[in-house]
PDB file of all heavy atoms in Angstrom:
ATOM      1  N   HIS V  36     108.655 156.155 147.370  1.00 91.00           N
ATOM      2  CA  HIS V  36     109.473 156.764 146.454  1.00 91.00           C
ATOM      3  C   HIS V  36     108.778 157.247 145.126  1.00 91.00           C
ATOM      4  O   HIS V  36     109.324 157.120 144.008  1.00 91.00           O
ATOM      5  CB  HIS V  36     110.687 155.864 146.067  1.00 91.00           C
ATOM      6  CG  HIS V  36     111.491 155.457 147.266  1.00 91.00           C
ATOM      7  ND1 HIS V  36     111.351 154.326 147.888  1.00 91.00           N
ATOM      8  CD2 HIS V  36     112.599 156.141 147.744  1.00 91.00           C
ATOM      9  CE1 HIS V  36     112.209 154.188 148.949  1.00 91.00           C
ATOM     10  NE2 HIS V  36     112.944 155.313 148.840  1.00 91.00           N
ATOM     11  N   VAL V  37     107.645 157.801 145.210  1.00 94.00           N
ATOM     12  CA  VAL V  37     106.729 158.115 144.138  1.00 94.00           C
ATOM     13  C   VAL V  37     107.462 159.178 143.267  1.00 94.00           C
ATOM     14  O   VAL V  37     107.221 159.218 142.068  1.00 94.00           O
ATOM     15  CB  VAL V  37     105.475 158.703 144.568  1.00 94.00           C
ATOM     16  CG1 VAL V  37     104.598 157.674 145.276  1.00 94.00           C
ATOM     17  CG2 VAL V  37     105.405 159.862 145.464  1.00 94.00           C
ATOM     18  N   TRP V  38     108.317 160.043 143.784  1.00 94.00           N
ATOM     19  CA  TRP V  38     108.996 161.148 143.005  1.00 94.00           C
ATOM     20  C   TRP V  38     109.916 160.632 142.064  1.00 94.00           C
ATOM     21  O   TRP V  38     110.376 161.439 141.152  1.00 94.00           O
ATOM     22  CB  TRP V  38     109.682 162.083 143.940  1.00 94.00           C
ATOM     23  CG  TRP V  38     110.833 161.544 144.591  1.00 94.00           C
ATOM     24  CD1 TRP V  38     112.056 161.469 144.191  1.00 94.00           C
ATOM     25  CD2 TRP V  38     110.809 160.890 145.933  1.00 94.00           C
ATOM     26  NE1 TRP V  38     112.906 160.893 145.130  1.00 94.00           N
ATOM     27  CE2 TRP V  38     112.151 160.491 146.232  1.00 94.00           C
ATOM     28  CE3 TRP V  38     109.821 160.602 146.877  1.00 94.00           C
ATOM     29  CZ2 TRP V  38     112.455 159.866 147.335  1.00 94.00           C
ATOM     30  CZ3 TRP V  38     110.155 159.918 148.037  1.00 94.00           C
ATOM     31  CH2 TRP V  38     111.568 159.532 148.228  1.00 94.00           C
ATOM     32  N   LEU V  39     110.295 159.430 141.958  1.00 95.00           N
ATOM     33  CA  LEU V  39     111.313 158.890 141.024  1.00 95.00           C
ATOM     34  C   LEU V  39     110.809 158.488 139.667  1.00 95.00           C
ATOM     35  O   LEU V  39     111.519 158.154 138.823  1.00 95.00           O
ATOM     36  CB  LEU V  39     112.094 157.654 141.666  1.00 95.00           C
ATOM     37  CG  LEU V  39     112.962 158.211 142.742  1.00 95.00           C
ATOM     38  CD1 LEU V  39     113.717 157.001 143.451  1.00 95.00           C
ATOM     39  CD2 LEU V  39     113.950 159.210 142.373  1.00 95.00           C
ATOM     40  N   ASN V  40     109.495 158.634 139.463  1.00 97.00           N
ATOM     41  CA  ASN V  40     108.874 158.607 138.112  1.00 97.00           C
ATOM     42  C   ASN V  40     108.530 160.051 137.737  1.00 97.00           C
ATOM     43  O   ASN V  40     107.685 160.704 138.480  1.00 97.00           O
ATOM     44  CB  ASN V  40     107.499 157.851 138.235  1.00 97.00           C
ATOM     45  CG  ASN V  40     106.787 157.750 136.876  1.00 97.00           C
ATOM     46  OD1 ASN V  40     106.979 158.624 136.067  1.00 97.00           O
ATOM     47  ND2 ASN V  40     105.853 156.756 136.729  1.00 97.00           N
ATOM     48  N   PRO V  41     109.110 160.648 136.726  1.00 97.00           N
ATOM     49  CA  PRO V  41     108.865 162.006 136.310  1.00 97.00           C
ATOM     50  C   PRO V  41     107.431 162.355 136.144  1.00 97.00           C
ATOM     51  O   PRO V  41     106.925 163.413 136.396  1.00 97.00           O
ATOM     52  CB  PRO V  41     109.586 162.234 135.060  1.00 97.00           C
ATOM     53  CG  PRO V  41     110.616 161.112 135.088  1.00 97.00           C
ATOM     54  CD  PRO V  41     110.135 159.977 135.856  1.00 97.00           C
ATOM     55  N   LEU V  42     106.601 161.391 135.766  1.00 97.00           N
ATOM     56  CA  LEU V  42     105.204 161.687 135.568  1.00 97.00           C
ATOM     57  C   LEU V  42     104.468 161.738 136.814  1.00 97.00           C
ATOM     58  O   LEU V  42     103.480 162.611 136.943  1.00 97.00           O
ATOM     59  CB  LEU V  42     104.564 160.544 134.643  1.00 97.00           C
ATOM     60  CG  LEU V  42     105.179 160.438 133.265  1.00 97.00           C
ATOM     61  CD1 LEU V  42     104.498 159.353 132.310  1.00 97.00           C
ATOM     62  CD2 LEU V  42     105.153 161.758 132.478  1.00 97.00           C
ATOM     63  N   ASN V  43     104.899 161.121 137.750  1.00 97.00           N
ATOM     64  CA  ASN V  43     104.329 161.256 139.210  1.00 97.00           C
ATOM     65  C   ASN V  43     104.711 162.692 139.675  1.00 97.00           C
ATOM     66  O   ASN V  43     103.951 163.363 140.356  1.00 97.00           O
ATOM     67  CB  ASN V  43     104.946 160.240 140.203  1.00 97.00           C
ATOM     68  CG  ASN V  43     104.296 158.859 139.944  1.00 97.00           C
ATOM     69  OD1 ASN V  43     103.385 158.650 139.182  1.00 97.00           O
ATOM     70  ND2 ASN V  43     104.816 157.917 140.618  1.00 97.00           N
ATOM     71  N   MET V  44     105.905 163.101 139.450  1.00 96.00           N
ATOM     72  CA  MET V  44     106.362 164.422 139.784  1.00 96.00           C
ATOM     73  C   MET V  44     105.413 165.513 139.059  1.00 96.00           C
ATOM     74  O   MET V  44     105.105 166.561 139.831  1.00 96.00           O
ATOM     75  CB  MET V  44     107.806 164.699 139.515  1.00 96.00           C
ATOM     76  CG  MET V  44     108.717 164.138 140.480  1.00 96.00           C
ATOM     77  SD  MET V  44     108.514 164.692 142.149  1.00 96.00           S
ATOM     78  CE  MET V  44     108.807 166.455 142.021  1.00 96.00           C
ATOM     79  N   ALA V  45     105.000 165.214 137.885  1.00 96.00           N
ATOM     80  CA  ALA V  45     104.221 166.210 137.270  1.00 96.00           C
ATOM     81  C   ALA V  45     102.801 166.318 137.893  1.00 96.00           C
ATOM     82  O   ALA V  45     102.189 167.352 138.106  1.00 96.00           O
ATOM     83  CB  ALA V  45     103.941 165.821 135.754  1.00 96.00           C
ATOM     84  N   ALA V  46     102.310 165.003 138.330  1.00 96.00           N
ATOM     85  CA  ALA V  46     101.061 165.076 139.116  1.00 96.00           C
ATOM     86  C   ALA V  46     101.183 165.617 140.414  1.00 96.00           C
ATOM     87  O   ALA V  46     100.272 166.416 140.883  1.00 96.00           O
ATOM     88  CB  ALA V  46     100.669 163.569 139.334  1.00 96.00           C
ATOM     89  N   ILE V  47     102.358 165.506 141.071  1.00 95.00           N
ATOM     90  CA  ILE V  47     102.533 166.127 142.426  1.00 95.00           C
ATOM     91  C   ILE V  47     102.560 167.693 142.223  1.00 95.00           C
ATOM     92  O   ILE V  47     101.885 168.446 142.977  1.00 95.00           O
ATOM     93  CB  ILE V  47     103.843 165.694 143.062  1.00 95.00           C
ATOM     94  CG1 ILE V  47     103.657 164.199 143.489  1.00 95.00           C
ATOM     95  CG2 ILE V  47     104.256 166.512 144.203  1.00 95.00           C
ATOM     96  CD1 ILE V  47     104.917 163.459 143.904  1.00 95.00           C
ATOM     97  N   GLY V  48     103.262 168.118 141.269  1.00 94.00           N
ATOM     98  CA  GLY V  48     103.246 169.685 140.817  1.00 94.00           C
ATOM     99  C   GLY V  48     101.891 170.108 140.579  1.00 94.00           C
ATOM    100  O   GLY V  48     101.619 171.229 140.992  1.00 94.00           O
ATOM    101  N   ALA V  49     101.113 169.424 139.873  1.00 94.00           N
ATOM    102  CA  ALA V  49      99.705 169.783 139.552  1.00 94.00           C
ATOM    103  C   ALA V  49      98.927 169.924 140.910  1.00 94.00           C
ATOM    104  O   ALA V  49      98.097 170.700 140.970  1.00 94.00           O
ATOM    105  CB  ALA V  49      99.048 168.778 138.532  1.00 94.00           C
ATOM    106  N   ALA V  50      99.034 168.886 141.800  1.00 93.00           N
ATOM    107  CA  ALA V  50      98.245 168.938 142.988  1.00 93.00           C
ATOM    108  C   ALA V  50      98.724 170.142 143.723  1.00 93.00           C
ATOM    109  O   ALA V  50      97.735 170.916 144.410  1.00 93.00           O
ATOM    110  CB  ALA V  50      98.445 167.589 143.824  1.00 93.00           C
ATOM    111  N   ILE V  51      99.926 170.465 143.827  1.00 92.00           N
ATOM    112  CA  ILE V  51     100.313 171.707 144.618  1.00 92.00           C
ATOM    113  C   ILE V  51      99.903 172.971 143.918  1.00 92.00           C
ATOM    114  O   ILE V  51      99.308 173.818 144.579  1.00 92.00           O
ATOM    115  CB  ILE V  51     101.906 171.691 144.749  1.00 92.00           C
ATOM    116  CG1 ILE V  51     102.277 170.554 145.678  1.00 92.00           C
ATOM    117  CG2 ILE V  51     102.423 172.993 145.276  1.00 92.00           C
ATOM    118  CD1 ILE V  51     103.818 170.222 145.580  1.00 92.00           C
ATOM    119  N   ALA V  52      99.988 173.059 142.558  1.00 93.00           N
ATOM    120  CA  ALA V  52      99.427 174.224 141.881  1.00 93.00           C
ATOM    121  C   ALA V  52      97.995 174.493 142.106  1.00 93.00           C
ATOM    122  O   ALA V  52      97.585 175.510 142.198  1.00 93.00           O
ATOM    123  CB  ALA V  52      99.802 174.069 140.416  1.00 93.00           C
ATOM    124  N   ASP V  53      97.207 173.301 142.018  1.00 91.00           N
ATOM    125  CA  ASP V  53      95.767 173.422 142.286  1.00 91.00           C
ATOM    126  C   ASP V  53      95.548 174.002 143.611  1.00 91.00           C
ATOM    127  O   ASP V  53      94.539 174.956 143.780  1.00 91.00           O
ATOM    128  CB  ASP V  53      95.100 172.076 142.213  1.00 91.00           C
ATOM    129  CG  ASP V  53      94.944 171.502 140.733  1.00 91.00           C
ATOM    130  OD1 ASP V  53      95.236 172.308 139.860  1.00 91.00           O
ATOM    131  OD2 ASP V  53      94.749 170.290 140.596  1.00 91.00           O
ATOM    132  N   ARG V  54      96.282 173.673 144.674  1.00 89.00           N
ATOM    133  CA  ARG V  54      96.051 174.101 145.949  1.00 89.00           C
ATOM    134  C   ARG V  54      96.404 175.685 146.048  1.00 89.00           C
ATOM    135  O   ARG V  54      95.859 176.440 146.735  1.00 89.00           O
ATOM    136  CB  ARG V  54      96.965 173.414 146.933  1.00 89.00           C
ATOM    137  CG  ARG V  54      96.877 173.860 148.388  1.00 89.00           C
ATOM    138  CD  ARG V  54      95.454 173.859 149.065  1.00 89.00           C
ATOM    139  NE  ARG V  54      94.906 172.506 149.218  1.00 89.00           N
ATOM    140  CZ  ARG V  54      95.141 171.726 150.326  1.00 89.00           C
ATOM    141  NH1 ARG V  54      95.828 172.291 151.336  1.00 89.00           N
ATOM    142  NH2 ARG V  54      94.591 170.557 150.334  1.00 89.00           N
ATOM    143  N   LEU V  55      97.445 176.047 145.314  1.00 88.00           N
ATOM    144  CA  LEU V  55      97.934 177.444 145.322  1.00 88.00           C
ATOM    145  C   LEU V  55      97.394 178.280 144.131  1.00 88.00           C
ATOM    146  O   LEU V  55      97.988 179.333 143.879  1.00 88.00           O
ATOM    147  CB  LEU V  55      99.443 177.483 145.199  1.00 88.00           C
ATOM    148  CG  LEU V  55     100.271 176.665 146.374  1.00 88.00           C
ATOM    149  CD1 LEU V  55     101.713 176.629 146.066  1.00 88.00           C
ATOM    150  CD2 LEU V  55      99.961 177.321 147.715  1.00 88.00           C
ATOM    151  N   SER V  56      96.374 177.830 143.574  1.00 80.00           N
ATOM    152  CA  SER V  56      95.897 178.477 142.327  1.00 80.00           C
ATOM    153  C   SER V  56      95.593 179.910 142.412  1.00 80.00           C
ATOM    154  O   SER V  56      95.356 180.606 141.380  1.00 80.00           O
ATOM    155  CB  SER V  56      94.707 177.642 141.758  1.00 80.00           C
ATOM    156  OG  SER V  56      93.632 177.720 142.593  1.00 80.00           O
ATOM    157  N   SER V  57      95.332 180.488 143.645  1.00 75.00           N
ATOM    158  CA  SER V  57      95.029 181.933 143.675  1.00 75.00           C
ATOM    159  C   SER V  57      96.155 182.872 143.311  1.00 75.00           C
ATOM    160  O   SER V  57      95.984 183.945 142.896  1.00 75.00           O
ATOM    161  CB  SER V  57      94.610 182.233 145.120  1.00 75.00           C
ATOM    162  OG  SER V  57      95.748 181.983 146.032  1.00 75.00           O
TER     163      SER V  57
END
Side-chain angles (χ1 to χ4, degrees):
H36 299 93
V37 296
W38 66 89
L39 291 176
N40 174 344
L42 299 181
N43 286 351
M44 280 301 298
I47 290 168
I51 294 168
D53 286 348
R54 176 62 66 89
L55 301 174
S56 63
S57 61

